[in-house]
Amino acid sequence: MTNGAKPRIGIMTSGGDAQGMNAAVRAIVRAGIHAEAEVFAIGEGWQGAYEGGAHIRRMTWSTVSGILNKGGTVIGTARSQAMRAEDGQRQVVRNLVEHGIDRLIVIGGDGSLTGARVLSLEWQRYLGELVERGELSAEQAAAHPSLRMAGLVGSIDNDMVGTDMTIGTDSALHRITEAIDAISSTAESHRRTFIVEVMGRNCGYLALMSAIAGGADYVFLPESPPRDGWEDRMVEVLGRARDAGRRDSILIVAEGAKDRQGESITAERIHQALEERTGDNARITILGHVQRGGKPSAYDRWMATACGVEAVRQVLDADHDAEPVLVGVHRNKVHMEPLLPAVERTRAIAQLIADGRYEDAIASRGHGFESMIKIYRTLNEARPSASEPRGKRIAIMNVGALAPGMNQLARVAVRTGIDRGFDMLAVIGGVPGLMEGNVRELDWSSVEGMASTGGADFGTRRYIANETDLYSMARQLEDHKIDALLVSGGYHAYATVALMESERRRYPAFNIPIALLPASIDNNLPCWEMAVGSDTALNTVVDDIDMVRMSASASKRAFVVETMGRTCGFLPLVGGVAGGAEKAYLPETGITLEQLNRDIPALVDAFDSGRSFYLTVMGEGASEHYTCEMIRRMFEAEGKGRYTVRQMVIGHAQQGGIPTPFDRINATRLASQAVAYLDAQVTDGKAEYGAASSSDPSLIAPLRHVLEEMDWDNQRPSTQWWTDLRPVFDQLSRRPGQE
């Protein structure tokens, strides 16, 4: 390259494939083009970098069109033995320099990323050797004195320290949970036992989280080998679950699970143990590579997209001697840290397991992993750990619109409460149900099978309590001797509990501890990044976008898709990023005639330039006047026959359906912490109101502090993390130079 030439970025996917890799590739290519860089795909991973030639090809804007919703990786991946040797690494350096590439983004696991870091550290030495051999000129070496590198973790195992989630993990959980749900149906019909083997190597994340999301009875993890005699213990736990009313038994085993002597615990070994002790001829299902397959989930699309854009910025802005960085996520925001420490800490966990330091291995996975193991054990014991009943009663109540995952919230709360010695009750039908005294006592089996069901078995109503309702509510709390209350819901729930707190002096019955949990597809609640139900709704939006995209494949067509969300732009913006939309209209920014005067010519130009599909996503509260139907008519009128325009109002489908694994896991964590909070309040004789807060170590903060972050006028949080995705959306949705 000569002085003043555009920087060149190489991108590769390496190692095992993972859903969401294509989203990252698309983001890197388009963000690189916006940054006036040239982007080259290195096909077949490190093997393609070693072989060079046609494996290294320039990417254009249109090259990555239509790949966002595809599984696998369109640029190919492979493992390379050649990269393990210096001769192979030296050849890779030569091929990259000959193509003018001195910035590299690698999407892969710890092995792929380690190889990239080694190459970065040894770059100058290899340059010198190549010049000495006459394979590169001194001018070429001088033009590319260093390799600036960023890594994205593409692995369904979620085994990398330094990021909350790796690309592909959420999609793999979708595949596993769908399989468990399907297996549970036939297992329940026949009172049968199933053993399901999942991937994960030395990491039990997939096994643990799918067991929680799928309501499985027993799980085997690499980080937590069972103690000697585990076979009898397993039979005992399964027997208690059957005695409590369960018709089926589901066991999950990670492919890397072992006992404390280092012997593998396979599905066949578990089957044999069950048959010898109970005569049960359990069925075995090994999911295998189906976990890697299929289209990526909404999360894997928008997360990989955001990380890809940041990776481009990192390699373009980095100094020549900059340490390679790992680009991941922390609490739904892009997060960077040095690559080497992350890889070293990841590999250290395998050694901790090999050394028998299991508690240290679990702790190294993070507090969330550690706490979820404890929660899982509580949910599946089928007997209280409390020595005797507490004589105290906790009621559960849903308030407001339906959110998928409410049933899992209730299930976990009931079983966690019983485990702690509480009597558990359900208020049926929200605030109106409480006013009418519609309260039901619950036992362990009352919530059996609720982990995987949509809807809200205990009912809910879009109803905000007013002052005239308070007397009836207070009276019923007293009559039913309710000592604590767990409330889940959206804006209606937050407004109702806020009113109850303000009226505690007038109504002594309200002087009980209350825990308030966010459950809303709108994701419009303060201090918690993802309300229960919002991920399910988002996936519904993205699934519908995928379908209308396919429906338009045979003709030139634009779609205007309207999401729910009321005054909050989470669904249209994040759905637009994950669905590959060209325009997104949000309630926060509204729609103006001036904006439409810019957008309509851009739409027409897109079709004149060869586009066959164009997608606009808008929130239902984006504009009172510019409705979905009106925008459709304006778009079509200005096209003058060049294309057709259709509209789709997704509507209440976003509230229905089976909750996603994320929503089930999210509900599990929230409900468990809420009951722990109420337990502490009752034990200490306190009666404080708390609400979910991700910034609090206990995940429950004083209600008044949480409500300070609420924009009551607009019914949404004062701070919305997803607005950080707006620049990402704007950059990737249109070519440079387009309005």
Side-chain angles (χ1 to χ4, degrees), residues 94-126:
R94 175 183 173 178
N95 288 334
L96 293 179
V97 171
E98 286 182 340
H99 284 83
I101 298 170
D102 56 9
R103 292 164 174 85
L104 186 64
I105 300 174
V106 178
I107 309 167
D110 60 346
S112 300
L113 297 178
T114 299
R117 184 181 183 275
V118 169
L119 200 70
S120 174
L121 293 176
E122 300 297 329
W123 182 269
Q124 288 187 340
R125 177 168 71 86
Y126 287 141

Side-chain angles (χ1 to χ4, degrees), residues 559-563 585 590-593 596 600 616-636 645-649:
F559 261 89
V560 182
V561 175
E562 180 184 286
T563 73
Y585 298 128
I591 305 174
T592 66
L593 183 59
L596 291 171
I600 292 173
T616 296
V617 181
M618 63 180 293
E620 61 184 352
S623 174
E624 178 183 358
H625 305 289
Y626 295 110
T627 63
C628 184
E629 169 65 14
M630 178 175 284
I631 291 175
R632 183 197 70 79
R633 288 177 177 273
M634 295 173 69
F635 282 3
E636 187 153 38
V645 185
R646 298 289 186 269
Q647 71 181 62
M648 182 177 67
V649 179

Side-chain angles (χ1 to χ4, degrees), residues 84-255:
R84 299 179 183 273
E86 288 195 358
D87 285 346
Q89 295 168 15
R90 188 183 300 108
Q91 181 65 28
V92 168
V93 172
R94 175 183 173 178
N95 288 334
L96 293 179
V97 171
E98 286 182 340
H99 284 83
I101 298 170
D102 56 9
R103 292 164 174 85
L104 186 64
I105 300 174
V106 178
I107 309 167
D110 60 346
S112 300
L113 297 178
T114 299
R117 184 181 183 275
V118 169
L119 200 70
S120 174
L121 293 176
E122 300 297 329
W123 182 269
Q124 288 187 340
R125 177 168 71 86
Y126 287 141
L127 282 180
E129 292 172 358
L130 289 166
V131 171
E132 288 180 4
R133 297 179 178 200
E135 297 179 31
L136 288 178
S137 69
E139 291 76 16
Q140 286 177 305
H144 308 286
S146 64
L147 178 66
R148 282 160 279 194
M149 180 256 166
L152 278 65
V153 190
S155 168
I156 68 168
D157 301 336
N158 202 33
D159 57 352
M160 177 67 80
V161 175
T163 181
D164 290 349
M165 291 283 278
T166 60
I167 296 170
T169 300
D170 187 65
S171 301
L173 276 175
H174 276 250
R175 302 293 92 76
I176 297 168
T177 305
E178 288 163 3
I180 293 173
D181 289 350
I183 287 168
S184 295
S185 298
T186 187
E188 186 176 0
S189 299
H190 297 277
R191 296 183 63 87
R192 189 166 285 163
T193 299
F194 271 82
I195 305 164
V196 181
E197 181 184 294
V198 303
M199 288 181 165
R201 293 189 303 172
N202 292 317
C203 182
Y205 184 90
L206 287 178
L208 175 62
M209 297 306 174
S210 63
I212 289 172
D217 300 89
Y218 213 82
V219 65
F220 295 89
L221 308 175
E223 298 90 344
S224 183
R227 299 184 184 279
D228 293 346
W230 59 267
E231 298 92 341
D232 294 327
R233 166 73 172 163
M234 172 183 65
V235 170
E236 179 188 354
V237 170
L238 297 182
R240 283 204 302 269
R242 291 294 180 100
D243 293 342
R246 179 153 185 158
R247 288 179 55 85
D248 63 319
S249 299
I250 304 293
L251 299 91
I252 309 295
V253 56
E255 62 182 351

Side-chain angles (χ1 to χ4, degrees), residues 323-398:
E323 171 70 18
V325 296
L326 175 72
V327 182
V329 287
H330 178 58
R331 288 174 53 177
N332 291 317
K333 292 195 173 184
V334 176
H335 170 78
M336 280 77 62
E337 64 176 70
L339 177 62
L340 178 60
V343 172
E344 289 179 339
R345 296 203 309 273
T346 298
R347 293 188 167 182
I349 296 175
Q351 189 60 49
L352 290 173
I353 295 172
D355 294 342
R357 297 169 58 186
Y358 305 122
E359 295 302 321
D360 291 338
I362 292 171
S364 296
R365 294 283 184 214
H367 175 72
F369 185 84
E370 188 173 15
S371 64
M372 291 302 275
I373 289 179
K374 296 176 182 177
I375 293 170
Y376 175 78
R377 290 169 178 165
T378 296
L379 296 178
N380 292 276
E381 282 298 321
R383 66 179 181 187
S385 60
S387 57
E388 59 185 33
R390 302 279 294 276
K392 299 290 184 179
R393 293 155 70 86
I394 297 177
I396 302 167
M397 179 171 68
N398 301 319

